[in-house]
């Protein structure tokens, strides 16, 4: 643990500077508040990510065909084992974040889930905790912890390979690497396997929800704007910030302007 | 423990609401919930029918037309141009939009094969009702789904769908704006594009 300490402090400092460093005027777009001062750079990164995604999933960006037979998601596939193992290994880090957020209930749930699925579920390959015991995962990360601590969202960022993010969530991702308790108990080669499985799980999710992802990346008229909108709405929902900046359901009659009233379409 | 207290508060709140709000609101809440329950049942009938995707999309479109206020959704996502075009042009756009939604959301519903959606309840929100549901997918954290239901069209219909915070009206409005600007504001050209999109 000692060799982490100095670099951790440097990281924490640079991240907090980075998060607070940018203060631009967010604007309302399609009913939500968007803060995107780096849009030109983000758009270039988006094009890069999109072509990378197309290469990896073996489809040309503009020629996706959708009428492929549906895969039976009710049946277990080899990829599901990887997804299960990878997401099981991400649980200890989530327990730490649950605790840092002052939420012992979800922490206990995620910990029990990790214990049950690592043992009865054979190293996390199966999910007896979720199926039989109702111990579902409470997804979280350090980005959410920062939100709970009152750190503002910051500017929207599109990261290489990882895709949509914000300044707060990107800082969270870096910190999550050192918050993962497994990093301190596993050997370096075991850590490599852990990350291999976790990345595999992400890739498996990408394949499993390919229709939704394809629909956003390939079928949208402006996939950058769609991905940004979806990420921000989803993220704010997850961290419980629904009403923090703009609640689109809030009194549509009070804002009878052409733009504000659309969420309650009967309002104008 | 915190959850217990919250649940208790929620129960108390619900009881107080039931006592003060009277039977009219309760009926609207239950009819809003009933609408969504039927819509979900119909969607699962289509999902589990094992038909070809193209046939399923047609049936999803029919479910959408039956339970949603398509008129207000189409108008709302088009924004100001909806007020500048004639009735016939709007009707053509509206019908193309309905097919587009059937295909686009139909594709997503297909990912729900082997899962369950439990409609949990309805509560008043502003001038309409929000109906909450949870989707239980295999091996994944449950997903929150919310519908917004109104009777302002004269019938009880849903006009918005929010999956894990992602709002249909907001994302479709962004999409229509992008498609329309590609066509330099020409709604008829947008209509032609919509017939192939989704």
């Amino acid at each position: 643990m000692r060799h982490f300490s100095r670099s951790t402090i440097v990281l924490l400092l640079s991240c907090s500077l980075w998060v607070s460093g940018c203060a631009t005027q967010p604007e309302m777009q399609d009913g939500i508040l968007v803060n995107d001062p780096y849009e030109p750079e983000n758009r270039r990164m988006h094009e890069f990510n999109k072509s990378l995604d197309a290469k990896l999933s073996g489809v040309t960006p503009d020629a996706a065909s959708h009428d492929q037979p549906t895969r039976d998601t009710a049946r277990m596939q080899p990829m599901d084992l990887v997804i299960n193992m990878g997401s099981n290994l991400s649980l200890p880090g989530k327990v730490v974040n649950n605790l840092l957020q002052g939420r012992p209930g979800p922490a206990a749930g995620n910990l029990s889930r990790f214990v049950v699925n690592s043992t009865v579920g054979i190293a996390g390959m199966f999910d007896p905790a979720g199926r039989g015991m109702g111990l579902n995962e409470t997804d979280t990360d350090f980005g959410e912890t920062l939100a709970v601590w009152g750190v503002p969202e910051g500017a929207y960022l599109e990261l290489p390979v990882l895709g949509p993010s914000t300044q707060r969530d990107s800082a969270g991702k870096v910190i999550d690497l050192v918050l993962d308790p497994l990093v301190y108990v596993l050997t370096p080669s075991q850590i490599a396997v852990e990350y291999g499985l976790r990345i595999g799980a992400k890739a498996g999710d990408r394949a499993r929800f390919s229709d939704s992802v394809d629909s956003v990346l390939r079928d949208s008229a402006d996939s950058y704007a769609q991905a940004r909108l979806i990420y921000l709405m989803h993220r704010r929902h997850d961290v419980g910030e629904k009403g923090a900046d703009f609640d689109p359901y809030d009194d549509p009659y009070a804002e009878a302007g052409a733009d504000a009233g659309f969420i309650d379409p009967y309002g104008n | 423990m915190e959850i217990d207290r919250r649940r208790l508060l929620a129960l108390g709140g619900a009881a107080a609401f039931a006592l003060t709000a009277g039977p009219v609101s309760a009926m609207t809440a239950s009819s809003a919930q009933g609408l969504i329950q039927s819509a979900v049942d119909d969607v699962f009938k289509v999902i589990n029918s094992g038909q070809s995707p193209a046939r399923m999309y047609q049936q999803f479109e029919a479910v959408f037309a039956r339970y949603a206020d398509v008129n207000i959704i189409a108008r709302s996502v088009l924004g100001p141009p909806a007020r500048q075009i004639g009735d016939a042009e709007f009707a053509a756009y509206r019908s193309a939009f309905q097919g587009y939604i059937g295909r686009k959301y139909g594709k997503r519903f297909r990912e729900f094969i082997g899962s369950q959606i439990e409609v949990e309840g309805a509560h008043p929100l502003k001038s309409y009702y929000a109906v909450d549901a949870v989707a239980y997918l295999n091996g994944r954290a449950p997903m929150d789904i919310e519908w917004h239901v109104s009777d302002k069209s004269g019938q009880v219909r849903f006009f918005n769908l929010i999956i894990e915070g992602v709002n249909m009206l907001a994302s479709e409005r962004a999409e229509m704006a992008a498609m329309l600007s590609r066509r330099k504001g020409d709604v008829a050209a947008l209509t032609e594009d919509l017939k192939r999109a989704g």
Side-chain angles (χ1 to χ4, degrees), chain A residues 77-87 125 196-198 200-201:
Chain A
Q77 309 256 333
M79 197 62 212
D80 291 330
L81 299 179
V82 174
I83 294 177
N84 285 352
M85 288 174 83
S87 54
M125 282 195 285
L197 284 167
R198 287 178 62 180

Side-chain angles (χ1 to χ4, degrees), chain B residues 28-80:
Chain B
T28 315
S30 71
S31 63
Q33 186 174 343
L35 175 92
I36 297 308
Q37 186 63 61
S38 318
V40 167
D41 291 345
D42 282 10
V43 163
F44 272 90
K45 252 178 242 160
V46 178
I47 290 175
N48 295 327
S49 67
Q51 300 173 86
S52 73
R55 184 86 193 93
M56 277 197 201
Y57 299 151
Q58 280 175 6
Q59 294 185 343
F60 285 129
E61 180 186 341
V63 173
F64 180 61
R66 185 168 167 204
Y67 295 100
D69 187 350
V70 180
N71 198 55
I72 206 78
I73 295 171
R75 198 168 280 284
S76 160
V77 300
L78 189 56

Side-chain angles (χ1 to χ4, degrees), chain A residues 30 68 70 73 205 208 211-212 215 220-221 226 233-234 237 249-250 253 259 262-266, chain B residues 69 72 76 108 110-111 113 126-128 138 140 144 148 152 159 162 164-165 167 171 173-175 182:
Chain A
D30 304 302
Q68 296 143 353
T70 315
T73 43
D205 271 349
R208 185 168 164 186
D211 276 354
S212 289
S215 153
S220 301
Q226 268 307 311
M233 289 193 289
H234 178 57
H237 168 84
Y249 322 108
D250 205 15
Y253 297 104
D259 269 359
F262 83 93
I263 296 288
D264 180 358
Y266 306 99
Chain B
D69 187 350
I72 206 78
S76 160
R108 307 217 174 143
R110 280 170 55 200
E111 289 160 12
I113 290 176
K126 302 297 156 200
S127 59
Y128 45 87
N138 285 327
R140 277 184 70 89
D144 293 334
H148 289 173
K152 285 199 182 161
F159 65 90
I162 298 141
E164 285 284 302
N167 182 311
S171 43
R173 177 166 233 214
E175 184 62 7
R182 241 187 208 177

Side-chain angles (χ1 to χ4, degrees), chain A residues 174-194:
Chain A
V174 176
I175 307 296
D176 272 325
L177 293 175
V178 295
L179 279 185
D180 179 9
L182 293 178
V183 166
Y184 304 100
V185 297
L186 299 177
T187 65
S189 55
Q190 286 171 325
I191 293 172
V193 173
E194 182 206 342

Side-chain angles (χ1 to χ4, degrees), chain B residues 78-151:
Chain B
L78 189 56
R83 276 173 246 143
Q84 291 150 15
I85 56 176
D87 288 349
E89 198 178 349
F90 179 77
Y93 151 77
R94 194 200 105 124
S95 131
F97 175 79
Q98 179 178 304
Y100 156 82
I101 292 291
R103 290 185 295 277
K104 180 169 178 177
Y105 285 79
K107 271 167 208 158
R108 307 217 174 143
F109 289 149
R110 280 170 55 200
E111 289 160 12
F112 285 78
I113 290 176
S115 68
Q116 288 159 305
I117 295 181
E118 277 172 28
V119 180
E120 308 218 304
H123 60 272
L125 188 65
K126 302 297 156 200
S127 59
Y128 45 87
Y129 277 88
V131 179
D132 294 310
V134 179
Y136 295 93
L137 290 94
N138 285 327
R140 277 184 70 89
M143 279 166 56
D144 293 334
I145 307 185
E146 188 176 317
W147 283 267
H148 289 173
V149 178
S150 171
D151 60 0

Side-chain angles (χ1 to χ4, degrees), chain A residues 216-232:
Chain A
V216 172
L217 286 186
R218 291 168 195 151
D219 300 340
S220 301
D222 182 352
S223 62
Y224 174 76
Q226 268 307 311
R228 180 180 62 190
L229 186 67
I230 289 170
Y231 179 79
L232 291 176

